[in-house]
């Protein structure tokens, strides 16, 4: 059974940093592109970033480029999201997601439960 | 970026009746090389992560009841729930995975009338 468990969320002041982690199990982690999706309270879904199987390619939504960095450690079956210069509008539940297929463009069929990041003074 | 829109914002349907949700993309999500529409539908209940229902615009994910169906091509798509059940109360999102950033529609809330 695929399991994705996010951690690292919490309360942080504007301008601060957080590093989210996602522990994956139940599938061959190193075979899949991995993705972060976020959802602000009461709002819709926003694709944040993805990373290829060996970590050599990353892609981000334009609005977050330069502040957020996605990375992975295949030996630990873990995905990360380093978030810097956090803003109030970054407050959201952050989901770690594994796609249905191996390739770059794939629907998202395995979602973690999410971790809440709250940016507030 | 491809912009996704959905209509209506919300709808209320009687149990056993049909619910129809529309989704439109600002550019075609039909990949000519394989004739596939890179369009998915998700269902999200409060406090839960989204669940993939439909991909390639009309392929049901494993375990999804056959009362859920998807149709459409190019820029216009539809999700139909043929006979609404109580457990179908949720917010439904369409998503394009044709290009990055992958983008979602704003969601359609489905309730029981």
């Amino acid at each position: 059974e695929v399991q994705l468990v996010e951690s690292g969320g919490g309360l942080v002041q504007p301008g601060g940093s957080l590093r989210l982690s996602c522990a994956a199990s139940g599938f061959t982690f190193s075979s899949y592109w991995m993705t972060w999706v976020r959802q602000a309270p009461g709002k819709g879904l926003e694709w944040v970033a993805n990373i290829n199987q060996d970590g050599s390619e990353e892609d981000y939504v334009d609005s977050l480029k330069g502040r957020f960095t996605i990375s992975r450690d295949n030996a630990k079956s873990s995905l990360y999201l380093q978030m810097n210069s956090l803003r109030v509008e970054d407050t959201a539940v952050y989901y770690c997601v594994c796609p249905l297929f191996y390739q770059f463009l794939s629907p998202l069929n395995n979602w973690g439960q999410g971790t809440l990041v709250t940016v507030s003074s | 970026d491809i912009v996704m829109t959905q209509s209506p914002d919300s709808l209320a349907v009687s149990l056993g009746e049909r619910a129809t949700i529309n989704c439109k993309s600002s550019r075609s999500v039909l990949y000519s090389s394989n004739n596939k529409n890179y369009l998915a539908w998700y269902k999200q209940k409060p406090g839960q992560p989204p669940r993939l229902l439909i991909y390639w615009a009309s392929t049901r994910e494993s375990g999804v009841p056959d009362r859920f169906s998807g149709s459409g091509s190019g820029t216009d798509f539809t999700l139909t729930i043929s006979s609404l059940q109580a457990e179908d109360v949720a917010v439904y999102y369409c998503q394009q995975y044709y290009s990055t950033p992958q983008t979602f529609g704003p969601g359609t809330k489905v309730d029981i009338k």
Side-chain angles (χ1 to χ4, degrees):
Chain A
E1 180 194 359
V2 172
Q3 285 202 357
L4 298 165
V5 180
E6 302 93 338
S7 60
L11 176 63
V12 61
Q13 290 189 339
S17 298
L18 272 181
R19 188 194 196 206
L20 305 184
S21 300
C22 171
S25 61
F27 65 105
T28 306
F29 179 77
S30 59
S31 294
Y32 289 86
W33 283 77
M34 292 294 295
T35 297
W36 288 99
V37 173
R38 71 180 182 179
Q39 186 170 35
K43 302 297 184 183
L45 300 165
E46 181 181 30
W47 183 93
V48 170
N50 68 358
I51 186 167
N52 73 339
Q53 288 86 345
D54 66 5
S56 61
E57 295 180 45
E58 305 159 26
D59 203 359
Y60 300 89
V61 64
D62 281 349
S63 60
L64 298 177
K65 282 180 183 175
R67 292 198 300 124
F68 286 19
T69 303
I70 189 172
S71 62
R72 66 191 297 161
D73 184 336
N74 287 340
K76 295 181 178 179
S77 293
S78 293
L79 179 71
Y80 306 102
L81 186 67
Q82 178 67 43
M83 304 184 296
N84 298 330
S85 303
L86 282 162
R87 304 169 181 169
V88 171
E89 55 265 33
D90 295 319
T91 295
V93 173
Y94 286 75
Y95 294 104
C96 168
V97 193
C98 177
L100 180 60
F101 305 121
Y102 296 139
Q103 56 258 44
F104 173 49
L105 299 172
S106 170
L108 305 173
N109 78 319
N110 285 294
W111 298 64
Q113 288 299 310
T115 187
L116 177 62
V117 172
T118 303
V119 185
S120 174
S121 54
Chain B
D1 299 358
I2 297 178
V3 176
M4 307 299 291
T5 56
Q6 289 181 231
S7 63
D9 295 336
S10 64
L11 74 160
V13 176
S14 301
L15 289 172
E17 295 300 306
R18 178 185 301 259
T20 301
I21 301 169
N22 299 302
C23 172
K24 192 174 183 69
S25 58
S26 61
R27 287 189 278 130
S28 175
V29 297
L30 174 62
Y31 210 115
S32 55
S33 63
N34 59 11
N35 201 36
K36 288 182 181 292
N37 287 283
Y38 284 55
L39 190 284
W41 289 95
Y42 300 83
K43 171 186 178 181
Q44 187 178 32
K45 292 185 172 184
Q48 295 184 15
R51 175 192 178 189
L52 176 66
L53 296 176
I54 302 279
Y55 58 96
W56 300 136
S58 61
T59 301
R60 263 189 308 275
E61 169 63 332
S62 176
V64 173
D66 60 7
R67 64 180 180 274
F68 291 91
S69 64
S71 63
S73 185
T75 61
D76 292 279
F77 302 91
T78 300
L79 175 70
T80 301
I81 309 172
S82 61
S83 176
L84 192 76
Q85 305 300 303
E87 59 266 32
D88 299 335
V89 170
V91 177
Y92 292 83
Y93 296 93
C94 62
Q95 178 224 14
Q96 66 79 19
Y97 51 99
Y98 180 89
S99 65
T100 57
Q102 296 182 13
T103 45
F104 294 87
T108 295
K109 186 175 182 181
V110 174
D111 269 318
I112 305 295
K113 185 188 290 183

